[in-house]
Amino acid sequence: MLDNLLSRLIDITETENNSPFSNDGAYEAIAHKKQELVEKWKKFDKEEKIQNGGDLKKYFKNQGLNEAQDSALNSSKNFYLLKKEINARLATDDPSRLLPINDLHFEQAILELVENMENTEHVRELYKIRKRAVGESKNSGINASEASRIKNCMRQGRELYLAGKSGSLMVKPLNFFYSLTAYAYALIILNNPIRTSLDSLPGSHGLNYIPDGMKSQVGGDMPQGTFSDLLCAFPTLSVRNAEFSIQQDASYSLLEFFKRRHTIGIGTLLSMIPEIREYYRIATGEIGRTHPLSVSMGKSDRSIVWEFQIGDGERRPDLSDIESSFKDFPVSERFGKYIVSVPASDTFKISACISCDARGNLWYIENPFYPVVFPEICIHFILASALSNLMRYSPDHWGSVLLNETNTDQSLITRKYLSAFENKFPILILRSISKYFPYVAES
């Protein structure tokens, strides 16, 4: 079994099962017709309103629109809501505030910020800040009761994280996975455009673990659950640090996720974690999928252009991966790096897998799942799930890894990953659900 701990298996199979999204445009047509009817209704005098049913609902029905018809178009409506949220995000700046944290006491400062979110009224505020399209409604937001439930999810997540942080390595993966799951519930309600209450969430984890080969399966015909809802909580993919900020439209990625089952080895996921980049190379003898990324602003034909510089001068991604991530944008080479120039007005079109480490450095990740792009927290969700399953169902094998009894490389990479995740986890949570984007700054 342990031979598969560093497996770089990737198997993607076409198999679809009840996608929550359909981009057939059916609900959008209904929404537009409704809006037209509303505008007409506003212009009717009292007598005309009586002639047309007396109220707006009857008027809709008389014009061929009714609630039963709308409910039959649920997946089309979900995609309409998804695109509405995406458009609202692309039209405005990222609402989270950059927050440099002094590196001298950054762990305590980060944990204080995490705990600070655990307030009912603050959760209600976050809901409006993070769900951009919600602000268009007069009655937008969530009630105090639902916000209190989300607050409890956050508190449980923090307590489980602290238990894992102070606990033995033997049980860390389980604490971390359930901490991540508790926070995921909050993250989903605060960010996912088609989820508005905890009662609406599916009961499963949304992924499958296969002990034979230590593989994880997500997407396609896998049951929808926490993982798929977590992925959909990122309708846009934010790429930012202290100098740079863009949003990528993730609608195509989400549509494709539900069309394909992804079977993934643990080694594949470990190769995508920048914080263990060098340890991955030492443990496997192979170059991982993480590459330094810097972005600078330039001008071309009087328009602003962002120049993406990918690689460290010696190692760089496969060119085909770059061409997929930056489709239809020119790619050149300079000093051993790939250079991609993207007009600022078109940055939402790229489909790149990009991570920002604790210090605010950007990393380009070669994406073995293209056209699906997994946000960083989703990669950690799959990894935490896989390691917690290994811990629970094969404690003998898990003990052998931790006690360095079988393979020193496996022990090294596993310990280093858990350490890296422990340090990064609270920062990821704040970046995903708070009003801050923290990074560790040198004192």
Side-chain angles (χ1 to χ4, degrees):
M1 173 184 279
L2 293 180
D3 291 341
N4 295 301
L5 186 60
L6 297 177
S7 167
R8 295 184 62 160
L9 170 73
I10 304 167
D11 181 63
I12 301 177
T13 306
E14 299 279 342
T15 171
E16 189 170 357
N17 181 30
N18 297 324
S19 171
F21 300 113
S22 171
N23 64 341
D24 58 11
Y27 185 83
E28 185 176 5
I30 289 175
H32 286 159
K33 186 174 181 180
K34 272 189 174 181
Q35 188 58 42
E36 289 176 2
L37 293 175
V38 167
E39 295 303 319
K40 286 183 180 180
W41 180 263
K42 289 178 181 177
K43 296 176 182 178
F44 288 161
D45 58 28
K46 186 175 181 181
E47 186 176 341
E48 287 175 316
K49 286 182 178 179
I50 293 173
Q51 291 173 354
N52 283 279
D55 62 50
L56 197 54
K57 282 189 176 181
K58 288 181 181 178
Y59 178 51
F60 284 161
K61 190 173 182 179
N62 292 339
Q63 296 297 315
L65 295 176
N66 57 67
E67 294 300 321
Q69 186 180 19
D70 285 4
S71 64
L73 297 169
N74 193 50
S75 60
S76 183
K77 179 180 179 180
N78 285 344
F79 188 75
Y80 171 80
L81 294 174
L82 177 73
K83 289 299 291 185
K84 185 177 180 181
E85 177 66 20
I86 289 171
N87 291 337
R89 293 186 181 201
L90 295 179
T92 57
D93 294 331
D94 192 320
S96 59
R97 307 173 199 165
L98 282 167
L99 182 62
I101 305 291
N102 189 296
D103 63 354
L104 206 55
H105 305 291
F106 83 90
E107 286 189 30
Q108 185 60 36
I110 291 292
L111 287 173
E112 287 170 355
L113 286 171
V114 168
E115 186 174 1
N116 182 256
M117 290 190 296
E118 298 165 16
N119 173 278
T120 298
E121 288 307 311
H122 186 60
V123 170
R124 298 182 75 182
E125 178 190 2
L126 290 176
Y127 187 90
K128 289 188 177 183
I129 290 173
R130 301 202 65 88
K131 277 189 173 174
R132 232 67 55 80
V134 169
E136 296 178 11
S137 171
K138 206 182 290 185
N139 299 315
S140 62
I142 53 174
N143 60 40
S145 175
E146 188 69 22
S148 180
R149 296 172 69 193
I150 294 170
K151 175 199 70 178
N152 290 337
C153 291
M154 292 178 177
R155 180 167 184 176
Q156 185 185 86
R158 180 173 58 85
E159 295 288 352
L160 283 165
Y161 167 74
L162 292 174
K165 183 177 174 63
S166 61
S168 165
L169 266 173
M170 191 66 75
V171 294
K172 275 184 187 290
L174 191 61
N175 281 316
F176 286 163
F177 175 63
Y178 281 114
S179 171
L180 184 46
T181 300
Y183 272 118
Y185 296 149
L187 200 158
I188 289 164
I189 302 304
L190 293 175
N191 293 276
N192 188 322
I194 66 172
R195 299 296 186 196
T196 56
S197 73
L198 292 169
D199 290 336
S200 69
L201 304 186
S204 75
H205 288 315
L207 75 174
N208 188 30
Y209 174 72
I210 304 174
D212 182 15
M214 298 172 62
K215 298 171 286 192
S216 297
Q217 291 183 321
V218 296
D221 57 355
M222 291 297 99
Q224 293 174 33
T226 305
F227 180 82
S228 54
D229 275 354
L230 179 64
L231 180 65
C232 295
F234 293 88
T236 59
L237 298 168
S238 176
V239 182
R240 71 174 306 184
N241 61 7
E243 294 83 31
F244 173 71
S245 178
I246 65 167
Q247 300 276 348
Q248 299 179 167
D249 182 343
S251 57
Y252 182 65
S253 169
L254 295 178
L255 287 171
E256 293 301 306
F257 171 76
F258 291 101
K259 294 178 182 178
R260 297 176 173 85
R261 183 203 311 140
H262 301 74
T263 304
I264 310 164
I266 290 178
T268 297
L269 300 169
L270 292 173
S271 73
M272 301 174 71
I273 308 297
E275 287 82 0
I276 58 170
R277 183 183 191 231
E278 293 306 318
Y279 291 104
Y280 181 84
R281 181 180 58 81
I282 292 169
T284 65
E286 299 176 353
I287 297 173
R289 292 183 166 87
T290 63
H291 305 270
L293 167 67
S294 60
V295 185
S296 59
M297 183 186 291
K299 284 190 176 182
S300 176
D301 298 326
R302 298 182 181 179
S303 64
I304 297 174
V305 173
W306 289 110
E307 185 178 85
F308 294 77
Q309 302 176 24
I310 305 165
D312 59 11
E314 295 180 8
R315 292 178 284 175
R316 57 187 182 182
D318 186 274
L319 178 58
S320 63
D321 190 273
I322 298 287
E323 291 174 336
S324 296
S325 298
F326 297 91
K327 192 174 181 180
D328 299 327
F329 295 107
V331 181
S332 59
E333 296 180 39
R334 189 194 310 154
F335 305 122
K337 300 180 181 181
Y338 284 122
I339 311 297
V340 188
S341 295
V342 182
S345 58
D346 289 337
T347 49
F348 72 95
K349 297 178 182 178
I350 68 176
S351 299
C353 187
I354 297 174
S355 171
C356 180
D357 66 24
R359 293 193 175 276
N361 300 309
L362 296 176
W363 296 84
Y364 177 87
I365 317 295
E366 288 183 78
N367 185 7
F369 313 116
Y370 185 85
V372 176
V373 182
F374 289 130
E376 182 180 359
I377 202 166
C378 289
I379 299 294
H380 288 296
F381 191 97
I382 305 173
L383 269 170
S385 171
L387 293 178
S388 69
N389 276 295
L390 173 62
M391 185 206 89
R392 280 183 292 171
Y393 302 121
S394 301
D396 53 332
H397 292 133
W398 178 243
S400 297
V401 171
L402 293 184
L403 297 174
N404 199 15
E405 293 177 346
T406 55
N407 183 306
T408 57
D409 292 331
Q410 291 177 352
S411 177
L412 175 68
I413 195 69
T414 303
R415 284 170 168 265
K416 289 300 179 183
Y417 169 69
L418 288 172
S419 176
F421 178 68
E422 182 176 305
N423 290 329
K424 184 75 174 290
F425 181 53
I427 294 175
L428 275 178
I429 293 301
L430 287 168
R431 290 176 180 177
S432 300
I433 61 178
S434 81
K435 57 184 179 183
Y436 302 110
F437 186 93
Y439 64 96
V440 181
E442 293 184 11
S443 54

